Amino acid sequence: YLGFIKGVVDSDSLPLNVSREMLQQNKVLKVIGKKMTRKALAMIKSLADADKKDGDEEEEEEEGEESPKKDESEVDKEDGESKYDQFWKSFGKYIKMGLIEDAANRTRLAKLLRYATSKSGDKEISLEEYVANMKDDQKNIYYISGDDKDSLMKSPSVEKLLAKDIEIIFMTDAVDEYTVQHLTEFEGK
């Protein structure tokens, strides 16, 4: 599922005798694979965290003084999308597929997911943000899957939940239904 990442790994501990069978059964190669997956997910998570941090700083600037200095990330935001939003639009399906395939890293991958909600407008938010926005008495995460957000908004069950002022996640991708089957819980919800 991380096939979109390309790179070269140099290792002294791999044998010089190389055959497909030996590589498939080599324990060192399996360890390298696990470490590389974790490192790639950590890099993606840091990209998402930087996006979240920039969003928090932007809100503080709107409340306080305007900063005269602009760096590259602010210029990117003026174009409309943050770096993680661009990444998510390009590779979000791969992350969702990874959630289905990779049980060992499921919690790490779940933190990278982004969905549109009934209260987020056009912006997609993480499950962490959704849980943080939940009411104190809300014990479950509410979601609905379908073709597009507009048709989902017309659903009677969505209207009932909106009347109770409960935020709903809209899952409009075909992979989302399978993703939810494998992600049965997020942060105890």
Side-chain angles (χ1 to χ4, degrees), residues 19-43:
S19 71
R20 185 173 292 179
E21 281 181 40
M22 287 178 68
L23 285 179
Q24 287 176 344
Q25 296 172 1
N26 194 317
K27 289 181 182 180
V28 173
L29 196 62
K30 289 178 183 176
V31 170
I32 290 173
K34 284 181 185 177
K35 296 281 185 187
M36 294 304 296
T37 300
R38 286 201 177 137
K39 189 71 169 171
L41 292 177
M43 287 174 29

Side-chain angles (χ1 to χ4, degrees), residues 72-102:
E72 285 181 31
S73 65
E74 290 180 36
V75 172
D76 287 344
K77 284 191 181 244
E78 287 178 3
D79 293 341
E81 294 182 341
S82 69
K83 288 181 181 181
Y84 189 74
D85 288 339
Q86 292 172 348
F87 170 82
W88 181 253
K89 285 198 167 107
S90 300
F91 303 111
K93 286 187 181 181
Y94 294 104
I95 301 297
K96 291 175 185 177
M97 289 301 294
L99 195 98
I100 295 168
E101 296 172 8
D102 191 1

Side-chain angles (χ1 to χ4, degrees), residues 68-177:
K69 184 179 154 186
K70 291 186 179 180
D71 62 3
E72 285 181 31
S73 65
E74 290 180 36
V75 172
D76 287 344
K77 284 191 181 244
E78 287 178 3
D79 293 341
E81 294 182 341
S82 69
K83 288 181 181 181
Y84 189 74
D85 288 339
Q86 292 172 348
F87 170 82
W88 181 253
K89 285 198 167 107
S90 300
F91 303 111
K93 286 187 181 181
Y94 294 104
I95 301 297
K96 291 175 185 177
M97 289 301 294
L99 195 98
I100 295 168
E101 296 172 8
D102 191 1
N105 293 308
R106 195 164 284 153
T107 54
R108 287 183 184 94
L109 289 164
K111 292 178 181 179
L112 300 174
L113 295 175
R114 298 289 184 269
Y115 291 107
T117 68
S118 57
K119 294 183 179 179
S120 69
D122 292 336
K123 184 183 173 197
E124 293 182 335
I125 65 169
S126 67
L127 291 176
E128 288 176 323
E129 289 176 71
Y130 177 86
V131 170
N133 294 340
M134 285 172 57
K135 292 181 172 184
D136 294 333
D137 60 342
Q138 184 179 340
K139 302 212 182 324
N140 299 316
I141 294 174
Y142 293 96
Y143 69 92
I144 186 167
S145 61
D147 293 331
D148 62 349
K149 188 176 174 180
D150 295 331
S151 64
L152 293 175
M153 286 293 283
K154 296 174 185 171
S155 169
S157 55
V158 169
E159 291 174 2
K160 263 187 179 176
L161 290 170
L162 288 177
K164 294 179 182 178
D165 195 35
I166 294 176
E167 190 172 15
I168 305 146
I169 297 174
F170 297 118
M171 299 187 169
T172 56
D173 199 0
V175 180
D176 289 334
E177 291 181 41

